[in-house]
Amino acid sequence: MARSTADTTRSQPWSATPTDETFSALATDEEGLSSSEAERRLSEHGTNEIHEAERTSILDLLLSQFRNPLIYLLVVAALLSLGTGLIPGGEPSYTEAVFIALIIVANGVFGFVQDYQATRSIEALRELASPDATVLRDGEKQSIDAEQVVPGDVVYLEQGDAIPADARVFDAEELRTNESPLTGESTPVEKTTECIAEDTPLAERRNMVYKNTTVVKGRGRAVVVETGMETEVGGIATQLDEADDRQTPFQTEVEHLGKQIGALVVSLIVLVVGVQFLFTATEPTAILLVGITLAVAGVPEGLPAVVTFTLALGAREMVDRNALVRRLPVVESLGSVDVIVTDKTGTVTENRMTVTRLYASGAVVDLSESNSKAASSDGDDQRVAANGNHGREPDVAPLLRCGAICNNVDRTGDGEYRGEPTEIALRRAADDADIDPVGDRIREIQFSSERKRMTVIVENGEPTAYMKGAPETVLERCDSVLEDGDVTELTDEKRREILNRTQSFAADALRVLGFASKPVEDPSADADGIEDDMVFLGLQGMLDPPRAEVEDAIADCRSAGIRTVLATGDNLTTAQAVGEQIGLDPDGALTGGDITEQSADELGRTIEDVDVFARVEPDHKVRVLNALQDSGHNVVMTGDGVNDAPALTQADVGVAMGQRGTDVARQASDMILQDDNFATIRDAIREGRGIFENVRKFVNYLVSTNTGEVLVVFLGVLLGSLLFPSQFSGTSQALILTPILILWINLVADTLPALALGADPHADGLMDRPPRPTDEGVINTRVLVSILTIAVLLAVTGLGVFFYALDRTGSLLRAQSLLFTFIVVVELIRIQVIRSRYDQTLRSNLWLVGAIGVSLLVQLAVLYTPLHEFFQVVPLSLVEWGWIAVGFVVFLLLNVVLSALNSRIFESRVSE
């Protein structure tokens, strides 16, 4: 019976294991497995699939909308309103309970719809799997479902194949794979069969191929060593599944705010009930009714709905800017970040190899996106820039033509290129210059790792051989050089110049190839004879270039006090070069090995001065992220590969790429850039800052008015019990404001304008300010002072109006009506007082103008229509409106004086 292979998985250093020992450890050989043995191993190891992370059910998604301390307070308030019916002499307050229930349901449904739409727009891990694989079973090649691949299977690898599992290569013919989804490195990896040191980083294990990567050139065979969740991709998926979701700073703050309000309300209820019970003759039922009223007054019923509405409005704005938000609180969280950790490939770069520099006729030519043509076939339209060569513009057409001919790229009818990225770059450079690789191919002398060159012979009038390869190798085969259309001797001095130029290109992280050509008499001659005495044409340097807009976006972020850190799987030289090109400091760059060697404390200290990290693997990114977060930073982590998923999950804001990103990265993220544009992150941060500012405005507005209402009820009942005991002792007369009136103020007079505040235009200069401190919440010291100031002013002036009216009219009902209307008017005007501190006029937000107008009209309808009987208020006379006007003027004057003092103390008009 075949021995078990389960004990070999995930523990064996396969890249350091010789081929024969690998076969032995897996109990297989080059002939593969039998069908029966494969079936047994499938039962032992399970299917070769990435287990999909458990999806949030619709029910859980809906219930999550109600897991909020503010919602809990509203539920308690509703139950207390119904509970009055259990008190002797009391009646259940159905109206209040229904109003509160409607707010709870509306807020939950609104948030659910937004989250459901975002969640269902993201597909997860199942699409990772390759549909089939070619294996050797029972001595024959078979195409099977990739999920049926098992350890010990021999798989065949051809250009274009998706690699079905992690496997050890034992046969390779020019085999190259694209591992950027796993390692982040954009350059194809040439595979070998030789053993590699055990401590070699993942990106450099050239005798291994990995699940979820693809073959871009050549062919080979490999023996499967890991499948399913035991693969490198599976390990990342496991980390992703086990990672805890972090609450956004705003979620934490709203939860804290809810607890604070709850504690305040309970404390006030206990205080008022205790004072009334001990020092007044108020009936127990009336005392309990006061407690319920305080609970209703203290809870800003509209706050959850307004917050949800504002965040959803921001999320919709971001969608218009190509940023899809998966969780609403993330919208605000973007405004508080101070570090962006970004991947390189496809995020700050274009994720395609591009020829960016040429060397021909002794001159360097820089190609840029602004050049629609680098050269033309006749050399008459050379839109190039020659640097350091006295303005001389060399004829680069022969060099580009050689790159296009010595090439195996196919071009589809719709203009797409298919082939190895390096060859695609060469072909595209020629196509952009309108250079046609003319001639019929006669023969190809293939590239090999030993030869380090490739030669193609084409017939175009006369047979001509075109060579490309490592510059040193090509130079060895050349005895002359093409300069300005003339073939001259390749002297030692010119050789040194070419080699020096090669080194300078490489120092800028360019991948450099040399090119040569010559006419041939006999295309079938020996390869060495054909490749001797070539004419050197020049060099082409290529790289995955940064996006044009990234440097400006990073500069804008820097102006906003946001630091950008580059973390990539590429080698150190490439990472430093790209970092410098996008405006980062390459000095002091660290590698993944450096990260591993440092303790958490050491990394926490050094990370503040490092802008570039190279050769990073998934655990390195997580360590970098954790070090930044432990230092108090709010971090955006961007990425598009499978390797980015764990860090995306744990980041304060995880941002995945929509076009080039893998499904795993999208699933792990909080936000998806639909245009893969780093500049979109800058725009999203600006939007987040503007949203936070609006949130701060209406939190100030709602909490200050609710606090004022609490003080009005608290002080009014106490003073009323002392000053007017006969009118404040009975159950029906114990309240200065009834719960239904307070609910009306909170839901109509407060919530509608607050919703309109969410649409306030963002102030200029948002990206010229530093991020707010990580420990500063929506309610900072200045906002707290403003809230308390307004609450006291509202209570003092409102109670002044109330007791004046009560003394003059002797009617508690009329005094309540006056106080009710006074609070509505003051709160509607106060909203513009808050906005004026941000230099915003009423005309800048027509929605707010409309909301205030509607609220005033509805208030008049309550007073002067039959609705006044339902609300138990009375119409006001013109004289009584005059009393309200006097009280309002007093409130406004005191508010102006105290606001000016507040501004002077805090020295900032926009810190609220």
Side-chain angles (χ1 to χ4, degrees):
M1 177 177 175
R3 63 185 178 86
S4 172
T5 59
D7 57 345
T8 66
T9 60
R10 300 298 295 175
S11 59
Q12 182 83 9
W14 298 112
S15 61
T17 305
T19 302
D20 55 348
E21 293 183 18
T22 300
F23 281 123
S24 177
L26 294 166
T28 187
D29 54 33
E30 292 188 21
E31 296 301 316
L33 302 173
S34 65
S35 296
S36 59
E37 175 62 14
E39 186 176 348
R40 188 192 68 77
R41 295 190 184 194
L42 184 65
S43 175
E44 178 183 352
H45 293 277
T47 56
N48 175 36
E49 58 181 330
I50 303 298
H51 299 314
E52 185 174 359
E54 185 177 351
R55 293 185 179 182
T56 301
S57 68
I58 294 178
L59 180 59
D60 286 341
L61 195 63
L62 179 61
L63 293 178
S64 68
Q65 310 301 321
F66 302 98
R67 299 187 184 114
N68 184 313
L70 286 175
I71 298 297
Y72 301 156
L73 287 175
L74 294 179
V75 172
V76 172
L79 293 176
L80 287 175
S81 297
L82 295 175
T84 56
L86 302 177
I87 304 171
E91 294 182 359
S93 302
Y94 293 115
T95 303
E96 290 90 338
V98 169
F99 268 28
I100 295 173
L102 287 175
I103 285 293
I104 294 172
V105 172
N107 179 75
V109 170
F110 194 69
F112 168 77
V113 170
Q114 178 68 28
D115 285 355
Y116 180 82
Q117 290 175 342
T119 299
R120 292 302 173 252
S121 68
I122 312 300
E123 291 299 330
L125 295 164
R126 280 200 176 275
E127 296 183 12
L128 285 174
S130 154
D132 52 47
T134 302
V135 299
L136 190 61
R137 294 266 179 93
D138 298 321
E140 297 180 354
K141 289 176 66 173
Q142 300 180 21
S143 179
I144 65 171
D145 190 318
E147 293 185 359
Q148 305 301 308
V149 170
V150 297
D153 261 328
V154 170
V155 295
Y156 289 84
L157 306 173
E158 300 279 352
Q159 181 173 324
D161 286 350
I163 296 170
D166 291 2
R168 171 70 159 84
V169 177
F170 66 87
D171 179 27
E173 297 180 28
E174 304 307 316
L175 181 64
R176 297 183 185 181
T177 62
N178 175 13
E179 296 180 353
S180 61
L182 184 62
T183 66
E185 184 171 357
S186 56
T187 304
V189 180
E190 184 176 355
K191 294 302 177 180
T192 180
T193 61
E194 302 298 323
C195 279
I196 296 174
E198 185 173 342
D199 58 352
T200 303
L202 179 68
E204 298 177 7
R205 296 174 193 167
R206 300 188 181 278
N207 59 3
M208 296 290 297
V209 290
Y210 298 101
K211 185 177 177 67
N212 202 42
T213 64
T214 55
V215 179
V216 296
K217 187 176 182 180
R219 60 186 61 85
R221 290 181 296 163
V223 57
V224 174
V225 296
E226 310 286 1
T227 59
M229 298 302 288
E230 299 301 314
T231 62
E232 293 292 337
V233 174
I236 294 172
T238 299
Q239 287 182 301
L240 176 62
D241 193 43
E242 293 174 352
D244 294 329
D245 285 339
R246 292 171 58 91
Q247 275 197 320
T248 67
F250 188 63
Q251 284 176 305
T252 302
E253 187 168 356
V254 169
E255 182 174 321
H256 181 62
L257 178 63
K259 292 177 181 178
Q260 286 181 316
I261 292 174
L264 175 64
V265 170
V266 171
S267 300
L268 284 175
I269 290 175
V270 171
L271 177 61
V272 172
V273 169
V275 169
Q276 283 197 302
F277 182 78
L278 295 174
F279 301 105
T280 70
T282 307
E283 297 178 3
T285 303
I287 293 175
L288 184 57
L289 195 58
V290 169
I292 294 173
T293 303
L294 280 173
V296 174
V299 179
E301 288 87 355
L303 185 57
V306 174
V307 169
T308 302
F309 171 78
T310 303
L311 295 180
L313 200 64
R316 179 164 297 182
E317 178 70 21
M318 288 184 180
V319 168
D320 294 338
R321 295 174 180 268
N322 293 311
L324 174 64
V325 175
R326 297 188 62 199
R327 296 190 298 150
L328 286 182
V330 171
V331 176
E332 186 279 331
S333 297
L334 276 165
S336 63
V337 301
D338 58 353
V339 177
I340 300 173
V341 180
T342 177
D343 188 31
K344 179 186 77 70
T345 304
T347 307
V348 300
T349 66
E350 296 179 355
N351 195 26
R352 71 175 191 179
M353 293 297 289
T354 303
V355 175
T356 59
R357 200 176 301 174
L358 307 176
Y359 175 78
S361 299
V364 175
V365 180
D366 287 333
L367 304 181
S368 67
E369 290 297 327
S370 62
N371 297 329
S372 59
K373 296 182 180 181
S376 65
S377 56
D378 59 9
D380 292 335
D381 188 17
Q382 295 181 356
R383 303 178 197 179
V384 298
N387 296 332
N389 299 284
H390 310 290
R392 179 160 53 89
E393 296 182 351
D395 181 7
V396 297
L399 173 61
L400 294 174
R401 183 177 293 109
C402 182
I405 291 174
C406 200
N407 198 306
N408 287 317
V409 168
D410 292 326
R411 194 169 185 185
T412 63
D414 56 4
E416 291 294 321
Y417 296 89
R418 292 180 180 175
E420 185 193 17
T422 298
E423 293 191 343
I424 290 176
L426 297 174
R427 178 66 182 273
R428 185 183 289 113
D431 289 346
D432 289 344
D434 286 344
I435 293 176
D436 185 20
V438 295
D440 297 323
R441 178 176 292 205
I442 300 174
R443 180 183 177 189
E444 175 183 338
I445 306 174
Q446 291 186 351
F447 178 94
S448 70
S449 55
E450 292 78 17
R451 287 165 34 81
K452 295 184 178 179
R453 62 184 182 272
M454 169 188 180
T455 301
V456 171
I457 303 174
V458 298
E459 177 73 50
N460 183 23
E462 62 176 341
T464 304
Y466 292 90
M467 175 190 292
K468 77 172 183 207
E472 299 85 354
T473 301
V474 172
L475 274 175
E476 290 175 357
R477 315 299 297 190
C478 295
D479 62 2
S480 56
V481 60
L482 182 67
E483 291 188 338
D484 300 322
D486 296 325
V487 177
T488 62
E489 181 184 358
L490 183 60
T491 64
D492 290 341
E493 181 180 357
K494 289 179 180 178
R495 287 180 186 274
R496 285 193 296 271
E497 179 185 345
I498 294 170
L499 290 174
N500 289 337
R501 189 62 64 185
T502 299
Q503 293 174 358
S504 69
F505 278 21
D508 291 333
L510 299 181
R511 183 179 185 187
V512 190
L513 293 177
F515 297 84
S517 69
K518 77 169 187 180
V520 295
E521 295 181 0
D522 181 9
S524 62
D526 180 77
D528 284 339
I530 290 176
E531 294 179 333
D532 276 338
D533 304 325
M534 303 286 284
V535 179
F536 186 78
L537 302 178
L539 304 171
Q540 295 195 47
M542 64 200 75
L543 81 165
D544 181 12
R547 292 173 174 269
E549 64 278 2
V550 167
E551 186 175 4
D552 288 341
I554 289 177
D556 290 342
C557 289
R558 186 178 296 112
S559 298
I562 302 168
R563 178 177 160 224
T564 302
V565 175
L566 178 66
T568 175
D570 277 305
N571 62 61
L572 183 60
T573 301
T574 300
Q576 287 177 307
V578 172
E580 187 171 19
Q581 290 171 3
I582 61 178
L584 302 181
D585 183 2
D587 295 337
L590 299 180
T591 65
D594 297 327
I595 296 173
T596 301
E597 292 174 359
Q598 294 190 11
S599 66
D601 291 340
E602 289 174 333
L603 185 59
R605 289 190 297 269
T606 61
I607 202 169
E608 298 293 340
D609 300 317
V610 178
D611 283 356
V612 177
F613 291 90
R615 283 289 185 242
V616 293
E617 296 182 11
D619 57 328
H620 298 143
K621 289 192 175 185
V622 173
R623 286 202 67 197
V624 168
L625 174 66
N626 291 340
L628 288 167
Q629 291 174 329
D630 291 343
S631 298
H633 295 290
N634 286 332
V635 184
V636 164
M637 172 67 74
T638 74
D640 58 2
V642 176
N643 61 321
D644 296 316
L648 287 173
T649 302
Q650 298 181 43
D652 296 289
V653 181
V655 179
M657 303 299 112
Q659 294 179 357
R660 294 186 174 98
T662 61
D663 290 322
V664 173
R666 295 186 193 118
Q667 183 205 28
S669 67
D670 301 303
M671 186 177 81
I672 297 170
L673 302 185
Q674 294 175 314
D675 60 354
D676 288 9
N677 194 332
F678 184 92
T680 303
I681 300 175
R682 172 199 56 197
D683 298 338
I685 288 174
R686 183 184 184 280
E687 183 70 21
R689 289 188 173 191
I691 288 170
F692 176 81
E693 201 167 74
N694 287 345
V695 168
R696 179 169 275 177
K697 289 177 195 173
F698 64 70
V699 166
N700 183 344
Y701 173 62
L702 290 176
V703 176
S704 64
T705 54
N706 277 78
T707 305
E709 292 163 13
V710 168
L711 287 179
V712 166
V713 174
F714 173 47
L715 297 175
V717 169
L718 292 181
L719 290 174
S721 300
L722 296 174
L723 300 177
F724 301 90
S726 61
Q727 293 176 294
F728 279 81
S729 58
T731 302
S732 61
Q733 299 160 328
L735 300 177
I736 193 168
L737 284 175
T738 62
I740 188 66
L741 294 182
I742 292 175
L743 273 174
W744 181 257
I745 294 172
N746 290 350
L747 300 183
V748 179
D750 289 355
T751 302
L752 192 59
L755 284 170
L757 263 183
D760 246 9
H762 300 330
D764 295 331
L766 281 174
M767 294 298 285
D768 296 328
R769 311 173 191 171
R772 75 178 191 271
T774 55
D775 58 349
E776 177 182 303
V778 174
I779 301 180
N780 61 6
T781 304
R782 184 180 179 184
V783 173
L784 180 61
V785 170
S786 175
I787 287 172
L788 295 177
T789 299
I790 294 302
V792 171
L793 287 180
L794 183 62
V796 170
T797 54
L799 289 176
V801 170
F802 174 82
F803 285 116
Y804 179 80
L806 184 61
D807 182 63
R808 292 292 300 270
T809 66
S811 169
L812 179 61
L813 185 61
R814 187 161 292 277
Q816 286 176 332
S817 302
L818 271 162
L819 177 59
F820 169 53
T821 305
F822 173 79
I823 291 175
V824 170
V825 172
V826 166
E827 292 183 0
L828 291 177
I829 301 302
R830 161 149 170 78
I831 201 167
Q832 180 54 33
V833 174
I834 295 175
R835 297 179 75 248
S836 66
R837 297 174 187 171
Y838 298 84
D839 297 325
Q840 291 178 319
T841 64
L842 195 59
R843 290 180 299 175
S844 66
N845 186 346
L846 296 181
W847 289 105
L848 181 60
V849 174
I852 292 175
V854 169
S855 295
L856 286 174
L857 288 176
V858 172
Q859 179 64 22
L860 292 176
V862 169
L863 292 174
Y864 297 105
T865 69
L867 284 174
H868 70 81
E869 294 182 1
F870 174 79
F871 286 94
Q872 296 182 343
V873 294
V874 296
L876 302 179
S877 67
L878 190 59
V879 172
E880 290 166 336
W881 276 103
W883 297 348
I884 291 175
V886 171
F888 172 72
V889 170
V890 173
F891 170 86
L892 193 60
L893 290 175
L894 291 174
N895 181 67
V896 170
V897 172
L898 293 176
S899 294
L901 180 62
N902 190 12
S903 296
R904 178 174 296 182
I905 292 174
F906 291 98
E907 300 179 347
S908 174
R909 301 186 65 190
V910 294
S911 66
E912 276 192 8

